[in-house]
Amino acid sequence: MNQIKTARFRENAHDALVDKQLQAVLGKFSDGFPVKRAQAIARMPEFDALRDAARDIKNHALENLGAYLEEFEAKVVASGGKVHWCRDAEEARQTVLSICRDADAKTVTKSKSMIGEEVGINDFLEDNGVEPIETDLGEYIIQLRKEPPSHIIAPAIHLSKQQVADTFRDNHRNRVSDRPLESPRVMLDEAREELRGKFLGADVGLTGANMLIAETGSIVLVTNEGNAELTCGLPRVHVAMASIEKIVPTLEDASTVLRVLARSATGQDMSVYTSFVTGPRRSEDLDGPEEFHVVLLDNGRTELLASELREILRCIRCGSCINHCPVYEAIGGHAYGWIYPGPMGAVLTPGLLGMEVANHHPNASTLCGRCETVCPMRIPLPSLLRKWRERQFTAGVTPVTSRYGLKVWAALARNPRWYRGLTTITSALLAKVAGKTGRLRRLPLAGGWTGSRDMPAPQSQTFMAQWRRRTAARKPGSRPGRS
Amino acid sequence: MSNARRDILAAVAAATEKDPNAAARVADRLSVHAANVIPQRGAEGEQVVSRFIEEAERAGTDIRQVSALADIPGVVSAYLREQNLAGDVRISSDPISLNIPWADEALIAVSHGAAEPDDTASLSVALCGIAETGTVMMKSSAENPVLLNYLPFLHVGLLPQSRIVGSLEMAWSALRRASGEGVMPRMVNLITGPSRTADIEQELLMGAHGPQKHMVIILKEE
């Protein structure tokens, strides 16, 4: 399993902020995906209508999830495939391993799968004598470096090309050690050559699935590199791993989701390759695997389905919320300590790992709401983060200092006279301390906050005081707020 | 694992509403194939051909238009020379591509069957062209094996002009007519341009694992 370091979020974030190399890479981040997304959406006037439709499709699918899952399974079986239901990560790992053992597999090629990351399939296979080989370029790079992905669609986005070059030099030992590896082009060609042989020699191909289609029993694979089709098309056995909420009813519904997926993710109108895989090769086919397996995983989804956090299950893993998150942009993906970073990760991670394990995530946000604005599935991410905060407070997970602070604030807020008195004194005091500059360089108990910015001093009088003065100046009998 | 199936479905049932009409609603949804929102640029009409070309070129596809099958060998041969590629092409056994008169083009050696790892170029026949995104829909069959679309350096999709539709939804209708209601081939591949990646410092590079070049030849008459 990918090592879980979610509890170290504060330390991770701190380290990330002072990591010069990482900050240099993150500095370029907002010029990439967000700009491309905006351009793609400018070309699609119906984008908001598509988002509404996509949200409705998923809501309907989730509300009728049982029926659609059973229909999906029936169709997979009818087309010659097999569905393996798995309650948790351990069952999924064992299932994949047993399929690999039945196939007498030595190597497994893999196309990018977040479910594969979630259950930690690579380490598990390796520990059991089966060699997994990631084929998506980004995943391949981080596999060589033994790192988790730092972004759900751009797993190696935290690395500079120099780091990638060093990684290739360290790992591709059969090549001339001082070969030129300056440009990404050369590195890509080298990776392509290295992986060609792996594709051809693999016994099992392991993929994820962007969607499952109940109508046809198909799984949908979306890539730009073409690695998914080589992964599932060359070996004798194809295994697709997917969680249960990936289901959509029909091909038409999948089409609607596809129209928002690539635009939200990379800013393409359509990813280069979108493939609908249904069963193993037919008797007359000249290529394709002889076996087709779908590993269908719950791993906490049914609990989310039953909860007020259900809406996160609409997520299609486009990464748009991550691409627009100021917190992610500041600290990168690894700071989150697991595999799902950014806003979607902050909602999903405590749901999958437990609130105690990922207690910082829902709080590492100002609830600025950019994520909700760009989410193609209209997931109200800030509200869901707030729901986690409420749960934390109720369960007593919230740190003592925060609880104490909230209690003090609540007591004050319920006592307007105290509240007004205190704010009057404080704002006058702060204004005085700030002096002519109008800014405060340091604040007691808020050193972390003022460490990187100044606090603007209050305008000497509180709003309430100003309002009173304003209404007193008016004609007696006129009511405040009416003109 | 049958316990897992039972447990998951029970948990799903407990989490969702019990509605006596649900089964009928689901059955209806699965059989009607209702379209949701089809954007204006996916509209049907005369403009689908020009829109297909415009969108496909945006995605990096090289488009050629020919009026007859006899023109194809010359177009392919010229493209291979342009790209400095060897003149061997693996051709799908689709009735349309089988009728291409390659014999006139001495520089091209033609073969058939499934793709081999070292193939330079392949040509297979598209079921549809989708104008809204400049995408070709390839349907797997004994005649058009899947890996022709993925293994070679260059993939050529042969697209009869009459098969260009506006939207993805229209392409599904065409697939249901071709394969039968509720019958899927092993693979339906939607292809929009040559393979690419931006995984190293977000720099977009063409030619990842799939074909480095993608050409679509639009054939006016079938």
Side-chain angles (χ1 to χ4, degrees):
Chain A
M1 191 137 181
N2 271 306
Q3 224 185 332
I4 297 164
K5 297 176 186 157
T6 47
R8 281 183 44 84
F9 182 82
R10 274 164 184 270
E11 294 82 354
N12 295 345
H14 180 266
D15 294 349
L17 285 169
V18 296
D19 181 338
K20 285 205 176 110
Q21 185 278 322
L22 178 67
Q23 289 301 321
V25 177
L26 290 173
K28 291 195 236 169
F29 186 64
S30 58
D31 299 335
F33 293 131
V35 174
K36 294 194 184 104
R37 173 192 175 273
Q39 287 165 351
I41 285 161
R43 273 174 26 91
M44 178 50 82
E46 297 90 345
F47 192 71
D48 278 339
L50 287 164
R51 289 168 77 193
D52 290 340
R55 172 199 60 205
D56 295 347
I57 289 164
K58 274 296 215 186
N59 281 347
H60 169 82
L62 291 171
E63 192 48 52
N64 298 281
L65 187 57
Y68 284 124
L69 286 172
E70 289 191 76
E71 183 69 24
F72 172 77
E73 181 188 36
K75 284 290 157 67
V76 171
V77 172
S79 59
K82 203 169 170 194
V83 175
H84 307 261
W85 301 71
C86 299
R87 282 168 289 210
D88 53 30
E90 177 59 18
E91 284 186 356
R93 287 190 290 264
Q94 293 294 349
T95 303
V96 174
L97 179 64
S98 107
I99 296 169
C100 289
R101 291 226 163 112
D102 288 347
D104 209 10
K106 283 169 194 66
T107 63
V108 173
T109 39
K110 261 196 77 200
S111 85
K112 194 173 140 35
S113 157
M114 286 313 295
I115 296 300
E117 297 286 352
E118 185 179 317
V119 306
I121 194 66
N122 285 0
D123 288 350
F124 184 75
L125 289 177
E126 218 168 323
D127 291 347
N128 286 281
V130 181
E131 186 196 353
I133 301 147
E134 292 285 358
T135 61
D136 169 85
L137 179 63
E139 287 281 341
Y140 175 66
I141 294 166
I142 61 165
Q143 186 186 25
L144 293 179
R145 296 173 62 89
K146 304 191 192 316
E147 286 178 0
S150 63
H151 190 291
I152 59 172
I153 67 160
I157 199 156
H158 59 288
L159 297 172
S160 67
K161 55 188 174 189
Q162 185 56 49
Q163 288 174 299
V164 178
D166 293 344
T167 306
F168 282 9
R169 238 183 266 285
D170 291 345
N171 285 276
H172 301 158
R173 291 297 180 85
N174 50 343
R175 291 170 184 264
V176 183
S177 61
D178 60 350
R179 66 195 180 279
L181 272 177
E182 281 85 41
S183 75
R185 172 85 257 166
V186 175
M187 292 185 248
L188 168 61
D189 290 342
E190 184 169 311
R192 187 186 207 261
E193 276 175 39
E194 290 283 332
L195 285 166
R196 254 302 129 135
K198 309 282 188 191
F199 277 123
L200 297 164
D203 306 295
V204 172
L206 187 55
T207 70
N210 290 76
M211 283 183 270
L212 308 171
I213 302 179
E215 174 197 359
T216 56
S218 312
I219 67 147
V220 185
L221 296 171
V222 180
T223 75
N224 277 319
E225 297 185 11
N227 58 317
E229 287 78 4
L230 296 179
T231 297
C232 72
L234 284 161
R236 204 180 61 73
V237 178
H238 173 201
V239 183
M241 304 179 83
S243 48
I244 53 174
E245 85 282 11
K246 292 273 171 231
I247 208 135
V248 295
T250 63
L251 293 166
E252 281 72 11
D253 294 325
S255 307
T256 302
V257 174
L258 287 172
R259 284 198 183 96
V260 297
L261 174 61
R263 290 186 174 93
S264 300
T266 54
Q268 290 166 284
D269 297 322
M270 184 90 178
S271 300
V272 177
Y273 301 112
T274 303
S275 290
F276 297 72
V277 190
T278 316
R281 77 198 283 173
R282 311 296 187 251
S283 55
E284 69 278 12
D285 281 347
L286 302 184
D287 56 22
E290 287 160 31
E291 291 177 31
F292 174 68
H293 301 266
V294 181
V295 175
L296 202 51
L297 179 71
D298 179 348
N299 207 30
R301 268 77 179 176
T302 49
E303 272 176 53
L304 287 168
L305 186 70
S307 77
E308 75 274 22
L309 296 154
R310 180 193 280 197
E311 289 181 277
I312 193 61
L313 297 178
R314 287 206 301 268
C315 177
I316 53 172
R317 308 287 189 268
C318 69
S320 194
C321 61
I322 300 169
N323 298 340
H324 292 80
C325 178
V327 178
Y328 180 93
E329 198 183 338
I331 61 175
H334 283 162
Y336 291 80
W338 198 40
I339 55 161
Y340 298 114
M344 58 75 65
V347 174
L348 194 59
T349 304
L352 300 181
L353 297 179
M355 188 160 69
E356 300 75 16
V357 183
N359 62 331
H360 294 303
H361 291 56
N363 300 302
S365 167
T366 60
L367 306 179
C368 77
R370 256 185 117 189
C371 48
E372 183 174 2
T373 317
V374 297
C375 176
M377 305 306 287
R378 296 204 186 280
I379 300 171
L381 289 153
S383 323
L384 299 184
L385 288 172
R386 225 179 264 122
K387 281 177 179 151
W388 274 122
R389 293 182 184 183
E390 283 166 20
R391 279 190 180 197
Q392 288 181 330
F393 193 87
T394 313
V397 179
T398 314
V400 180
T401 46
S402 309
R403 296 179 72 80
Y404 187 67
L406 283 169
K407 274 189 184 145
V408 171
W409 188 84
L412 279 173
R414 272 183 297 223
N415 196 325
R417 198 168 293 189
W418 288 11
Y419 192 95
R420 258 175 258 158
L422 195 70
T423 47
T424 308
I425 295 166
T426 314
S427 52
L429 193 70
L430 288 176
K432 189 153 191 192
V433 172
K436 277 184 197 156
T437 61
R439 293 207 306 266
L440 293 150
R441 290 182 158 275
R442 238 171 252 170
L443 275 178
L445 302 177
W449 199 89
T450 51
S452 55
R453 48 184 146 8
D454 291 349
M455 163 99 172
Q459 300 283 316
S460 74
Q461 274 200 321
T462 64
F463 171 79
M464 291 298 284
Q466 290 181 48
W467 187 255
R468 245 193 327 267
R469 223 175 37 193
R470 195 180 135 116
T471 46
R474 291 197 183 173
K475 228 169 37 184
S478 76
R479 290 178 56 194
R482 298 253 173 103
S483 53
Chain B
M1 296 285 164
S2 64
N3 282 348
R5 182 183 192 278
R6 189 198 59 203
D7 289 353
I8 293 170
L9 286 174
V12 168
T16 48
E17 247 175 79
K18 278 132 221 79
D19 178 350
N21 300 321
R25 201 169 49 226
V26 164
D28 189 56
R29 176 120 183 180
L30 290 172
S31 59
V32 172
H33 317 309
N36 302 299
V37 177
I38 297 180
Q40 187 51 40
R41 64 194 257 198
E44 305 306 319
E46 279 172 20
Q47 77 295 342
V48 291
V49 176
S50 58
R51 181 164 293 147
F52 175 85
I53 294 170
E54 190 191 322
E55 294 298 332
E57 286 179 339
R58 257 183 94 88
T61 301
D62 293 313
I63 296 283
R64 299 288 184 274
Q65 290 176 278
V66 299
S67 46
L69 282 173
D71 301 333
I72 292 172
V75 164
V76 172
S77 174
Y79 188 86
L80 290 173
R81 269 199 310 277
E82 236 172 73
Q83 300 293 329
N84 220 1
L85 295 171
D88 54 295
V89 185
R90 195 174 290 274
I91 308 296
S92 79
S93 308
D94 191 280
I96 297 176
S97 50
L98 279 182
N99 281 325
I100 301 171
W102 296 99
D104 303 344
E105 192 59 53
L107 290 172
I108 289 187
V110 168
S111 56
H112 295 281
E116 295 291 337
D118 297 326
D119 284 352
T120 308
S122 63
L123 183 148
S124 52
V125 180
L127 181 73
C128 279
I130 301 161
E132 64 168 309
T133 47
T135 302
V136 285
M137 177 183 274
M138 314 298 296
K139 166 185 171 296
S140 74
S141 62
E143 294 77 29
N144 290 294
V146 175
L147 293 173
L148 286 182
N149 311 336
Y150 292 93
L151 269 179
F153 184 92
L154 162 71
H155 171 239
V156 182
L158 176 55
L159 175 63
Q161 188 169 303
S162 59
R163 298 187 182 185
I164 300 180
V165 295
S167 66
L168 189 46
E169 282 78 353
M170 281 298 281
W172 294 129
S173 302
L175 177 74
R176 288 188 183 109
R177 279 197 304 277
S179 299
E181 186 71 27
V183 182
M184 285 289 273
R186 181 180 86 81
M187 271 282 206
V188 175
N189 304 123
L190 304 179
I191 303 177
T192 315
S195 77
R196 68 197 65 184
T197 182
D199 274 347
I200 302 176
E201 286 198 3
Q202 298 194 67
E203 183 176 328
L204 182 66
L205 300 168
M206 296 297 175
H209 296 299
Q212 317 240 345
K213 294 282 172 188
H214 183 234
M215 174 159 73
V216 170
I217 299 178
I218 300 173
L219 172 65
K220 286 216 175 101
E221 62 177 46
E222 216 164 303

